[in-house]
């Protein structure tokens, strides 16, 4: 199979979907790999690094899309890439369709098969291709939040951990999954007072066992959220309902309860965001103010730490790329239900129930085992 890797063109995206060892493994398995020139530059990987491992370096994204049977990416195809998609081609990337109807329409029309990293789910309910990026974003959310709490960045002028004699910041994390747990760990490690909320009581039990004493677990309901956001110096949005738009747990009205100069980092913005006033931003212009509250809503947070993220992502994507390239998508999806669950669009139809329900569309099964 011809596997193609275009350069990522989303604003401030420095990741790439394949590292040289991936090229080596694919070519050893008999596949042909096309890499767009400069694709690895943001992650410190040169064309030579790929070429030395068996890749053919091609001069344009158009050539990658024209020749590749399997396109492997990091972010959803951007509007300028939509005309390049070819019917019958398989694309493996993060799509986050529930937050982007124009993208879904474009992909349906293109006739490609869209395999979404974020809905590949293993038999234990885990999301193996979401986890490493959530680990990065969760840890980074505190690093960014701490920065925007500084006064020159319009924050409250607080040091997250305080100092002897001065109280630490109050950090509220909504959602105790991978992002939330990593955020809580880092914030607690810096000495902040942390509260983490979830609706899954077993998850709260687990978090209460493993997290340090400066983290309090709370059940997530309307009243608790409203009480906690009034105290928050830093609020992290880390909620996920698979495939669906994130529920808006903090309304525009609730925002008035927050302290001036408090910071919201809504990590869940890629699925729509759990704060009503959140709208997508980029690393070049990551924040904006609403009612005196700093909003940080970058949709591709891991992109800024491209080296760490590229390696963390490709560690987990390569086995799937090898499996799909080796067996073809149909056979791979029949024998590996995780891959079948990843197929969101096929033959112009939505094949993920949550995505279809989000837009009131019909859905079809991708394969019999799905
Ligand atoms: N912005 C970025 O760059 C970036 C990067 C990585 C992940 N993300 C996003 O971060 C979000 C979280 O990802 P994750 O990997 O931690 O997901 P996860 O599934 O591990 O965790 C989500 C948690 O939210 C909880 N939850 C659901 N409804 C809730 C509610 N009403 N109140 C409180 N908690 C609730 C779930 O019980 C679960 O524990 C996703 O939207 C993901 O796409 C964004």
């Amino acid at each position: 199979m011809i596997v193609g890797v275009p350069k990522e063109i989303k604003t401030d995206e420095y990741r790439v979907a394949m590292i040289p060892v991936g090229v080596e493994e694919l070519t050893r398995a008999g596949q042909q790999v096309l890499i767009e020139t400069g694709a690895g530059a943001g992650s410190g990987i040169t064309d030579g690094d790929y070429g030395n491992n068996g890749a053919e370096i091609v001069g344009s994204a158009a050539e990658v899309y024209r020749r590749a049977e399997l396109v492997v990416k990091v972010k959803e195809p951007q509007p300028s890439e939509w005309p390049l998609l070819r019917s019958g081609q398989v694309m493996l990337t993060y799509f986050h369709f529930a937050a982007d109807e124009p993208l879904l329409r474009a992909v349906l029309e293109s006739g490609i098969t869209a395999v979404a990293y974020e809905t590949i789910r293993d038999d234990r309910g885990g999301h193996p291709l979401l986890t490493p990026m959530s680990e990065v974003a969760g840890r980074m959310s505190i690093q960014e939040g701490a920065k925007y709490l500084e006064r020159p960045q319009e924050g409250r002028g607080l040091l997250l951990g305080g100092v002897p004699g001065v109280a630490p910041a109050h950090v509220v994390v909504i959602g105790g999954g991978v992002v939330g747990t990593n955020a809580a760990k880092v914030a607690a490690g810096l000495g902040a007072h942390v509260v983490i909320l979830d609706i899954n009581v077993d998850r709260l039990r687990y978090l209460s066992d493993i997290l340090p004493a400066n983290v309090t677990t709370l059940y997530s309901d309307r009243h608790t959220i409203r009480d906690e956001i009034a105290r928050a110096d830093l609020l992290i949005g880390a909620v996920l309902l698979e495939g669906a738009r994130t529920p808006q747990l903090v309304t525009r009205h609730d925002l008035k309860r927050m302290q001036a100069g408090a910071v919201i980092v809504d990590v869940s913005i890629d699925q729509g965001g759990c704060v009503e006033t959140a709208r997508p931003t980029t690393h070049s212009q990551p924040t904006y103010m609403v009612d005196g509250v700093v909003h940080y809503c970058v949709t591709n947070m891991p992109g800024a730490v491209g080296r760490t993220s590229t390696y963390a992502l490709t560690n987990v994507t390569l086995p799937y790329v090898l499996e799909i390239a080796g067996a073809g998508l149909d056979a791979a999806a029949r024998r590996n239900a995780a891959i079948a669950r990843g197929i969101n669009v096929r033959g112009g139809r939505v094949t993920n129930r949550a995505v279809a329900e989000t837009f009131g569309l019909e859905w079809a099964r991708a394969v019999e085992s799905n």
Side-chain angles (χ1 to χ4, degrees):
M1 190 179 275
I2 303 178
V3 180
V5 180
K7 185 174 165 61
E8 295 299 318
I9 57 170
K10 186 161 178 156
T11 310
D12 296 322
E13 178 56 68
Y14 299 106
R15 288 172 289 180
V16 59
M18 183 132 349
I19 58 174
V21 72
V23 174
E24 198 215 284
E25 293 214 19
L26 280 162
T27 46
R28 193 148 36 87
Q31 318 301 349
Q32 192 183 343
V33 184
L34 311 178
I35 305 272
E36 183 184 348
T37 181
S43 298
I45 305 169
T46 65
D47 287 354
D49 296 332
Y50 289 117
N52 292 339
N53 284 283
E56 181 187 343
I57 309 299
V58 301
S60 66
E63 185 171 354
V64 173
Y65 282 99
R66 183 166 50 77
R67 292 172 56 195
E69 297 160 273
L70 171 62
V71 176
V72 187
K73 271 180 59 60
V74 178
K75 290 308 287 184
E76 70 281 359
Q78 302 299 297
S80 66
E81 294 172 295
W82 296 349
L84 303 176
L85 308 179
R86 278 193 305 111
S87 179
Q89 196 163 50
V90 176
M91 181 179 282
L92 194 52
T93 194
Y94 291 113
F95 283 98
H96 298 291
F97 283 121
D100 193 343
E101 188 169 4
L103 172 71
L104 177 63
R105 301 274 172 203
V107 168
L108 284 168
E109 272 168 33
S110 73
I112 68 163
T113 298
V115 185
Y117 290 156
E118 69 273 11
T119 67
I120 289 187
R121 181 165 38 84
D122 61 30
D123 291 335
R124 287 169 299 147
H127 295 90
L129 305 194
L130 209 48
T131 303
M133 294 305 98
S134 290
E135 289 166 340
V136 172
R139 289 171 185 222
M140 205 177 148
S141 67
I142 300 301
Q143 192 169 308
E144 295 300 306
K147 181 165 88 198
Y148 289 101
L149 272 175
E150 293 170 10
R151 189 69 198 125
Q153 318 289 336
E154 302 190 86
R156 299 195 69 214
L158 281 182
L159 185 64
L160 214 57
V163 287
V166 182
H170 189 76
V171 177
V172 176
V173 182
I174 310 184
V178 181
V179 168
T181 306
N182 278 273
K185 249 195 231 173
V186 171
L190 287 172
H193 179 255
V194 184
V195 168
I196 187 162
L197 297 91
D198 207 293
I199 49 171
N200 179 338
V201 180
D202 283 336
R203 181 72 187 172
L204 291 177
R205 273 189 198 109
Y206 168 75
L207 292 176
S208 140
D209 273 349
I210 61 147
L211 289 171
N214 53 336
V215 181
T216 303
T217 58
L218 288 178
Y219 187 78
S220 173
D221 61 32
R222 272 292 298 145
H223 290 187
T224 311
I225 290 174
R226 286 179 49 193
D227 288 349
E228 281 304 321
I229 63 171
R231 284 189 204 113
D233 298 304
L234 173 57
L235 175 68
I236 308 292
V239 170
L240 176 67
L241 298 179
E242 190 195 305
R245 198 208 176 284
T246 318
Q248 289 183 339
L249 301 174
V250 177
T251 64
R252 174 174 285 275
H253 186 71
D254 294 337
L255 211 65
K256 301 201 188 316
R257 303 171 69 90
M258 292 188 74
Q259 313 179 79
V263 176
I264 296 176
V265 177
D266 195 346
V267 184
S268 57
I269 189 67
D270 58 347
Q271 291 283 136
C274 65
V275 175
E276 188 180 354
T277 46
R279 58 172 168 77
T281 61
T282 63
H283 287 293
S284 316
Q285 191 62 53
T287 59
Y288 60 93
M289 304 290 287
V290 180
D291 291 347
V293 176
V294 182
H295 288 53
Y296 174 104
C297 309
V298 175
T299 48
N300 60 336
M301 293 174 67
V305 288
R307 271 193 91 84
T308 303
S309 303
T310 286
Y311 284 82
L313 176 65
T314 56
N315 283 343
V316 293
T317 52
L318 183 61
Y320 293 96
V321 177
L322 283 165
E323 197 171 345
I324 294 170
L329 181 62
D330 281 343
R334 268 196 301 274
R335 70 178 180 217
N336 185 345
I339 293 177
R341 294 180 192 115
I343 304 174
N344 279 216
V345 172
R346 171 158 234 197
R349 302 188 69 179
V350 179
T351 52
N352 176 286
R353 187 197 291 253
V355 170
E357 284 173 356
T358 300
F359 299 112
L361 298 171
E362 303 238 312
W363 76 287
R365 284 180 190 280
V367 289
E368 280 314 306
S369 60
N370 191 6

